[in-house]
Amino acid sequence: MREELDKLLCEKYPLLFKDRNADMRTTAMCWGFAHGDGWFNIIDVLCWHLHHRYDNAKERYEYLVSRLGKPRWGDEVTKTTKFVTQEDIDEAKAKMDEEAEKVPLVVQVKEKFGTLRFYIQSGTEEHYNYISFAESMSGHTCETCGSPGKRLGRGWIYTACETHAQDDDWAESLKEDDEE
Ligand SMILES: [Zn+2]
């Protein structure tokens, strides 16, 4: 995938891609995203799901830090106004750290036999469900441009739309569809 998209994912989801530039003896992530640009959206959405609980907790923590000693919301002070205390901030910090621990570490992202392979060090059942959904979507999405596509080719299997199919692979696949 092109560098610009690679960087974008690493910036948006820093905890998932902590090892992006780590040593090749410890991770395969040093090779980057070994697939075409067409799968960017699939990966972006997958990463959002794996990362968003931490992002929410972080946003809440930063908000509270910015409101220390002030009312929780707005500027109006009434008898029932609750003020942000250091305790609130510490609690939000603990929650944020807890969520950070749960974000899986990505160890390899590549194409194999025409579909995406997204490997994490360890994760929950929910994480693996999102990953397997994303991997299946890649088998229906052109790896080059992101348009709807299908797995094509013999021997060398790849996923492409009609425009990005090689030679007469697309025509062949239509014949096979008819036979089914
Ligand atoms: Zn295409």
Side-chain angles (χ1 to χ4, degrees):
M1 198 164 58
R2 67 179 196 265
E3 199 187 338
E4 180 194 340
L5 299 178
D6 179 326
K7 270 197 179 149
L8 187 60
L9 290 172
C10 295
E11 278 164 23
K12 275 176 92 170
Y13 312 107
L15 299 185
L16 285 170
F17 301 114
K18 240 188 293 193
D19 275 3
R20 172 64 185 84
N21 295 306
D23 193 276
M24 61 183 275
R25 278 168 296 191
T26 61
T27 182
M29 215 42 230
C30 60
W31 309 114
F33 296 81
H35 54 76
D37 293 355
W39 291 345
F40 171 80
N41 274 332
I42 296 175
I43 294 178
D44 189 25
V45 174
L46 167 62
C47 291
W48 185 87
H49 281 287
L50 303 177
H51 210 270
H52 82 284
R53 289 207 182 94
Y54 165 75
D55 292 326
N56 291 346
K58 181 167 176 271
E59 200 178 309
R60 185 177 150 73
Y61 166 71
E62 287 171 352
Y63 174 77
L64 291 173
V65 166
S66 76
R67 302 289 297 183
L68 178 62
K70 294 181 191 158
R72 278 183 172 232
W73 297 280
D75 297 317
E76 210 180 315
V77 177
T78 67
K79 274 183 199 161
T80 58
T81 298
K82 284 201 168 72
F83 293 89
V84 174
T85 63
Q86 186 57 47
E87 206 174 32
D88 294 330
I89 293 174
D90 294 345
E91 217 173 89
K93 171 84 166 61
K95 175 75 179 157
M96 179 177 76
D97 292 345
E98 191 189 312
E99 291 300 338
E101 286 293 312
K102 292 185 205 160
V103 177
L105 183 67
V106 181
V107 295
Q108 190 172 25
V109 185
K110 65 173 182 181
E111 175 275 339
K112 191 177 182 187
F113 301 130
T115 58
L116 173 70
R117 304 299 153 94
F118 191 99
Y119 299 113
I120 55 177
Q121 197 173 56
S122 66
T124 62
E125 196 184 342
E126 191 192 356
H127 293 150
Y128 287 108
N129 286 341
Y130 280 125
I131 291 168
S132 76
F133 184 76
E135 289 176 343
S136 339
M137 276 307 293
S138 71
H140 300 270
T141 306
C142 177
E143 192 188 340
T144 306
C145 73
S147 293
K150 51 185 164 182
R151 293 178 78 209
L152 300 167
R154 287 168 205 282
W156 175 58
I157 310 287
Y158 63 102
T159 302
C161 66
E162 188 172 1
T163 309
H164 293 112
Q166 308 280 320
D167 308 323
D168 47 4
D169 284 345
W170 190 266
E172 284 293 320
S173 80
L174 294 178
K175 270 187 230 160
E176 280 165 25
D177 289 350
D178 282 347
E179 281 161 20
E180 273 166 22

